[in-house]
Amino acid sequence: MNPYNIKVNAVLVAISVVLSCLIGYLAFSIGEGKENDVLCGVFSTVCFMATTVPMVGLQYGQTRLGVNVRVMSFLFFVLFLVSHFCFAAIGIKMPYYIILNGILLLVYCGVLYKMLQINKI
């Protein structure tokens, strides 16, 4: 029983996961040779997966909820792109990188959770 009335499209989820891995590898490549470049690649992949799967791979029971989730996911995806590539290009300062992107990811997950709790939009 699915309380959120969400359907998973396995092919689109797989495509979004592979896309996230490729963008994470791009972030790793940009930060190559700099301190903590592996951290940049792995955390980028996690953040991009968290945004692309709800944006591309899921179908929502309510059309308005789906549009709202997709728009919010796209905005956070762009925010993560800017953040991760700026940190990768200028070199990662570990505490700032973890704190900023961790807060952004938690805010995204919290807002997504609240949006999915809404029964009627």
Side-chain angles (χ1 to χ4, degrees), residues 59-71:
Q59 297 174 354
Y60 302 91
Q62 298 177 9
T63 305
R64 291 180 182 181
L65 175 65
V67 169
N68 287 335
V69 168
R70 285 185 179 97
V71 167

Side-chain angles (χ1 to χ4, degrees), residues 6-120:
I6 297 173
K7 295 179 183 174
V8 177
N9 187 333
V11 173
L12 292 178
V13 168
I15 289 171
S16 65
V17 167
V18 170
L19 178 68
S20 300
C21 292
L22 291 172
I23 296 172
Y25 181 71
L26 178 63
F28 169 76
S29 297
I30 290 173
E32 186 177 358
K34 295 183 180 161
E35 186 179 350
N36 302 316
D37 54 354
V38 174
L39 175 72
C40 183
V42 171
F43 198 65
S44 296
T45 302
V46 169
C47 290
F48 293 130
M49 266 195 257
T51 57
T52 57
V53 170
M55 183 173 51
V56 177
L58 303 179
Q59 297 174 354
Y60 302 91
Q62 298 177 9
T63 305
R64 291 180 182 181
L65 175 65
V67 169
N68 287 335
V69 168
R70 285 185 179 97
V71 167
M72 185 198 62
S73 295
F74 178 74
L75 293 175
F76 271 89
F77 180 82
V78 171
L79 190 61
F80 281 130
L81 272 177
V82 171
S83 171
H84 287 281
F85 289 123
C86 285
F87 274 112
I90 62 174
I92 298 174
K93 309 242 182 319
M94 179 78 87
Y96 301 130
Y97 179 77
I98 291 173
I99 291 170
L100 177 69
N101 290 310
I103 289 173
L104 285 175
L105 185 60
L106 289 175
V107 167
Y108 170 73
C109 290
V111 172
L112 180 64
Y113 174 75
K114 283 304 209 182
M115 287 176 81
L116 293 176
Q117 295 296 315
I118 298 173
N119 291 328
K120 189 173 185 180

